[in-house]
Amino acid sequence: MPELPFTLDQLRILKAIAAQGSFKKAADLLYVTQPAVSLQIQNLEKQLEITIFDRGGRKALLTEAGRLLLEYCERILNQCDEACKAIEDLNSLKGGTLVIGASQTTGTYLMPRMIGLFRQKYPEVSVQLQVHSTRRTGWSVANGQIDLAIIGGQLPSDLENLLQVIPYATDELALVLPTKHQLSNKKELLKEDLYKLNFVTLDSQSTTRKVVDKLLQDSGLDIQRLKIEMELNSLEAIKNAVQSGLGASFLPVVSIERELAAGTIHKAFVADLEVKRELKLITNPSRYTSRASEVFKKNILPQFASLESPLRHV
Amino acid sequence: MPELPFTLDQLRILKAIAAQGSFKKAADLLYVTQPAVSLQIQNLEKQLEITIFDRGGRKALLTEAGRLLLEYCERILNQCDEACKAIEDLNSLKGGTLVIGASQTTGTYLMPRMIGLFRQKYPEVSVQLQVHSTRRTGWSVANGQIDLAIIGGQLPSDLENLLQVIPYATDELALVLPTKHQLSNKKELLKEDLYKLNFVTLDSQSTTRKVVDKLLQDSGLDIQRLKIEMELNSLEAIKNAVQSGLGASFLPVVSIERELAAGTIHKAFVADLEVKRELKLITNPSRYTSRASEVFKKNILPQFASLESPLRHV
DNA sequence: AGTCTCCATAAATTTTAATTATTCAAATAA
DNA sequence: TTATTTGAATAATTAAAATTTATGGAGACT
């Protein structure tokens, strides 16, 4: 590592003198005294072993070496200015990247709207959405690859302690039936009715599937008795299956808003059964929080949060 | 003039940490203590209002803002290195420009050889030769447009005081005749013989012409009685005229070396007549002397100087 | 738990840069 | 010419900044 034979301040002074043609005027321009300017130039000349200015005549004129140095000087100072501007933009959210993690469900149905709102407010910040499993998303937040994430499942306990987990909204997992299913007419189903249904579910590795299983079990159902027609790994596929009359399913309400409105799918109510899960915001408190991430958390998320969410009161 | 929010040293430290992934290692690399590094980065972060490093984990990792800054950092430091190299080259004569002034004669017949020698030793220094009148050359040296010059005539007296004038060589102005001229056979001419000749001369504005006239006059000749066949403004033209038998002329010996060797022109000796002029080196003592100029004066010129020249003993 | 490594912090020191006051030199004006 | 002005160099002092030594704390590895 070579030592630097000059400082940015010296270059700034050099430029000022060259522009003004005078040490004194340069000093005035830079709000310092004339000796300060003289000494810095002397230092510079000593360090580089060159003469920079001809002080003979009325004006301070550049020597050949001075002109050479000035050329670089301008380039260097321009780069510095540019760097400052870029940093400022980043600070004022006119640049930069926000990396958001999400599970399949939120990533597909919720995040696009949120990101849309964010981009509307801060169009210069590019947003990257990474859809992964809850586990992988958790690790990505832990090691900083993701700024913040929304998850619907349970984090491994080691990660749970490492990360900041804030409940942010409640996501209902609604029982949906084909519209033409005979049970679709009943106003309210009984838990027993569930055993009569054929289910189309997510595959058993999925966090959402695990959550549903656990909630059903907790409410006293014997999930072994539930008939599973097929396991698919995509909510869209399941939705299509349900619409085609292949069976019933517990699906996040956010994922079926359109279908409910269109009446192509039926949402059933089951007495004494609420299948709800917490959507949680996770961030890494031990890592740097980018401005974009901060703003997203403070301004965007609350608009999508349920009323009882802590984020409402931030 | 905006204040600079960072210093080159800070950028250097930033780069080192980014490369080493550790504050401590960067400190070792830069031969400073670890707190020095920490504090500088803290200053930098405070100034720019950004976080640059995530200090959480095993390694110091760049944040987004840090990566952005690092990019500019590298560019800036590269420019700095380049500037240093350019200055070094200039100092060690591996670059730069040397501007030399000369009169018609020396510029045509002498300087090319000198410049050739110089370029052989310092091929990276580009040399510019400006051939002008003595007067104009003098002014150019005075205002720094020319680093050094060789002149054969007399400077205006105001310039003479301003500039440093060092006699450097003696230039003989030889009487040359066509080889077939009848007087070419005589071993030695008399001054009287000159009146029998037809002369081909430089035009009367030329410094060399003035010098010749004055020297002839000083040696007792009546220059009005000399017959001038024609006046030309180029030595080459005069040489051709002489070789074609159109007349005689006083020409600098340096300009006719080739013709004398080839025997296409005859150099006559005149009893009691020496037409010699001093070639003088002029420089501007009140101006910066470039390294190239210094070297040219010290190392190149003496090799072409007559024995009695002061330059011989520098 | 214990040790090690790495970074942050505090206080003291050193180094560097700036200021005031003055001198010097050249240019302008009387 | 001499006086006056202007711009730059120099010296001494003061102010500011960076560096060091010494120390504390937090996470990683054994």
Side-chain angles (χ1 to χ4, degrees):
Chain A
M1 273 266 154
E3 297 258 320
L4 288 173
F6 49 76
T7 69
L8 284 179
D9 276 320
Q10 287 171 340
L11 296 188
R12 221 157 60 97
I13 292 172
L14 163 62
K15 183 180 165 189
I17 299 175
Q20 302 290 317
S22 147
F23 281 44
K24 179 150 183 36
K25 281 180 192 155
D28 293 344
L29 190 70
L30 299 170
Y31 303 109
V32 291
T33 55
Q34 168 264 315
V37 168
S38 286
L39 289 175
Q40 283 303 335
I41 294 297
Q42 281 172 33
N43 289 342
L44 191 53
E45 291 183 324
K46 213 176 293 171
Q47 290 276 325
L48 295 175
E49 300 177 21
I50 55 173
T51 306
I52 297 173
F53 288 104
D54 257 331
R55 284 102 155 156
R58 197 92 199 82
K59 291 181 69 177
L61 288 173
L62 284 166
T63 62
E64 179 181 3
R67 279 191 297 276
L68 179 68
L69 187 58
L70 181 64
E71 257 181 60
Y72 284 96
C73 172
E74 312 241 283
R75 260 184 277 173
I76 290 167
L77 292 179
N78 280 345
Q79 287 288 317
C80 289
D81 286 345
E82 226 184 272
C84 291
K85 221 174 118 305
I87 294 288
E88 263 173 43
D89 282 355
L90 197 64
N91 271 340
S92 61
L93 295 177
K94 283 185 182 158
T97 310
L98 175 64
V99 184
I100 299 177
S103 63
Q104 189 66 229
T105 311
T106 52
T108 309
Y109 304 103
L110 190 60
M111 297 317 295
R113 275 186 281 162
M114 282 176 141
I115 292 171
L117 183 62
F118 180 85
R119 297 266 311 163
Q120 202 175 313
K121 285 196 178 179
Y122 309 102
E124 322 256 5
V125 181
S126 71
V127 178
Q128 197 183 320
L129 177 65
Q130 294 194 1
V131 175
H132 292 301
S133 68
T134 298
R135 171 174 232 95
R136 177 155 173 201
T137 298
W139 279 111
S140 291
V141 172
N143 64 27
Q145 289 166 3
I146 286 179
D147 291 310
L148 83 172
I150 304 282
I151 56 170
Q154 188 66 28
L155 280 175
S157 58
D158 48 348
L159 281 178
E160 189 119 65
N161 301 322
L162 202 59
L163 304 179
Q164 185 179 37
V165 182
I166 303 176
Y168 132 78
T170 304
D171 179 31
E172 186 191 350
L173 295 151
L175 174 63
V176 294
L177 304 172
T179 45
K180 49 183 179 258
H181 196 279
Q182 63 266 35
L183 289 179
S184 291
N185 304 321
K186 288 185 72 174
K187 199 156 197 181
E188 195 178 57
L189 304 189
L190 300 174
K191 286 184 187 170
E192 302 305 310
D193 292 330
L194 295 179
Y195 296 121
K196 302 174 191 159
L197 295 169
N198 286 324
F199 280 96
V200 182
T201 71
L202 282 166
D203 72 278
S204 53
Q205 295 309 307
S206 136
T207 307
T208 303
R209 165 73 183 279
K210 286 180 190 162
V211 168
V212 172
D213 281 1
K214 183 163 187 308
L215 288 170
L216 294 179
Q217 202 155 32
D218 287 354
S219 73
L221 286 163
D222 178 6
I223 59 168
Q224 304 298 332
R225 280 184 59 202
L226 295 172
K227 279 175 287 185
I228 294 175
E229 183 75 20
M230 60 179 107
E231 291 186 349
L232 301 173
N233 65 0
S234 136
L235 288 176
E236 286 303 312
I238 295 175
K239 276 159 62 176
N240 286 329
V242 172
Q243 287 178 82
S244 308
L246 294 179
S249 189
F250 284 97
L251 291 177
V253 285
V254 292
S255 70
I256 52 171
E257 282 179 352
R258 218 181 305 275
E259 287 76 10
L260 290 178
T264 60
I265 211 166
H266 176 75
K267 177 182 172 191
F269 294 89
V270 183
D272 295 327
L273 182 66
E274 267 204 334
V275 187
K276 285 183 177 174
R277 63 168 173 180
E278 288 290 322
L279 295 184
K280 284 157 281 188
L281 166 69
I282 61 174
T283 54
N284 188 337
S286 67
R287 284 204 171 267
Y288 160 70
T289 306
S290 77
R291 285 298 269 285
S293 171
E294 224 169 75
V295 166
F296 192 91
K297 180 169 159 186
K298 278 197 185 155
N299 301 343
I300 307 298
L301 273 181
Q303 302 195 31
F304 291 84
S306 2
L307 282 170
E308 65 278 11
S309 161
L311 284 171
R312 275 279 179 193
H313 314 295
V314 172
Chain B
M1 272 268 151
E3 297 258 319
L4 288 173
F6 49 75
T7 69
L8 284 179
D9 275 320
Q10 288 170 339
L11 296 188
R12 221 158 59 98
I13 292 172
L14 164 62
K15 184 180 165 189
I17 299 176
Q20 304 287 317
S22 149
F23 282 44
K24 179 147 187 21
K25 281 180 192 155
D28 293 343
L29 190 70
L30 298 170
Y31 303 109
V32 290
T33 56
Q34 168 264 315
V37 168
S38 285
L39 290 176
Q40 283 303 334
I41 294 297
Q42 281 171 33
N43 289 343
L44 190 53
E45 290 182 322
K46 213 175 294 171
Q47 290 277 327
L48 296 175
E49 301 177 19
I50 56 173
T51 305
I52 297 173
F53 288 104
D54 259 331
R55 284 97 155 160
R58 197 92 199 81
K59 291 181 70 177
L61 288 172
L62 284 165
T63 62
E64 180 182 4
R67 279 191 297 276
L68 178 68
L69 186 58
L70 181 63
E71 258 180 59
Y72 284 96
C73 173
E74 312 241 290
R75 261 185 275 173
I76 292 167
L77 292 179
N78 280 344
Q79 287 288 318
C80 290
D81 286 345
E82 226 185 274
C84 291
K85 222 174 115 309
I87 296 288
E88 264 173 42
D89 282 355
L90 196 64
N91 271 340
S92 60
L93 297 177
K94 284 184 180 159
T97 310
L98 175 64
V99 184
I100 300 177
S103 63
Q104 189 70 44
T105 309
T106 51
T108 309
Y109 303 103
L110 191 59
M111 299 315 296
R113 274 187 281 162
M114 282 182 154
I115 291 171
L117 184 61
F118 179 85
R119 297 267 311 161
Q120 200 175 314
K121 285 195 177 177
Y122 309 102
E124 322 255 5
V125 181
S126 72
V127 178
Q128 199 182 318
L129 177 65
Q130 293 194 4
V131 175
H132 292 304
S133 68
T134 299
R135 172 175 231 95
R136 176 155 174 202
T137 299
W139 280 111
S140 292
V141 172
N143 64 27
Q145 288 166 4
I146 286 179
D147 292 309
L148 83 172
I150 304 283
I151 56 169
Q154 188 65 29
L155 280 176
S157 59
D158 47 348
L159 281 177
E160 189 118 66
N161 299 323
L162 202 59
L163 304 178
Q164 185 179 37
V165 182
I166 303 176
Y168 132 79
T170 304
D171 180 32
E172 186 191 350
L173 294 151
L175 174 63
V176 293
L177 304 174
T179 44
K180 50 185 177 252
H181 196 280
Q182 64 263 34
L183 288 180
S184 291
N185 304 322
K186 287 185 74 173
K187 202 158 197 178
E188 195 177 53
L189 304 190
L190 299 174
K191 285 185 188 171
E192 304 303 313
D193 293 328
L194 295 178
Y195 297 121
K196 304 173 191 160
L197 295 169
N198 287 323
F199 281 96
V200 182
T201 71
L202 281 166
D203 73 278
S204 54
Q205 294 309 307
S206 136
T207 307
T208 303
R209 165 73 183 278
K210 286 181 191 161
V211 169
V212 172
D213 281 3
K214 182 163 190 303
L215 287 171
L216 293 179
Q217 204 152 30
D218 288 353
S219 73
L221 285 162
D222 177 6
I223 59 170
Q224 305 297 334
R225 279 184 59 201
L226 294 171
K227 279 176 287 186
I228 295 176
E229 184 73 20
M230 60 180 105
E231 292 186 350
L232 301 173
N233 65 0
S234 138
L235 287 176
E236 286 302 313
I238 296 174
K239 275 159 64 177
N240 286 328
V242 173
Q243 286 177 80
S244 307
L246 295 179
S249 188
F250 283 97
L251 293 176
V253 286
V254 292
S255 70
I256 51 169
E257 282 179 351
R258 219 181 304 276
E259 287 75 11
L260 290 178
T264 59
I265 212 166
H266 177 75
K267 177 182 172 191
F269 295 89
V270 182
D272 295 323
L273 183 64
E274 267 206 333
V275 187
K276 285 184 175 172
R277 63 169 172 181
E278 287 290 321
L279 295 184
K280 284 158 281 189
L281 166 69
I282 61 174
T283 54
N284 188 337
S286 67
R287 283 204 173 266
Y288 161 68
T289 307
S290 76
R291 285 292 180 80
S293 171
E294 225 169 73
V295 166
F296 192 91
K297 179 170 160 187
K298 280 200 184 153
N299 300 342
I300 307 298
L301 273 180
Q303 301 193 34
F304 292 83
S306 3
L307 283 169
E308 65 278 13
S309 161
L311 282 171
R312 274 280 177 190
H313 314 295
V314 171

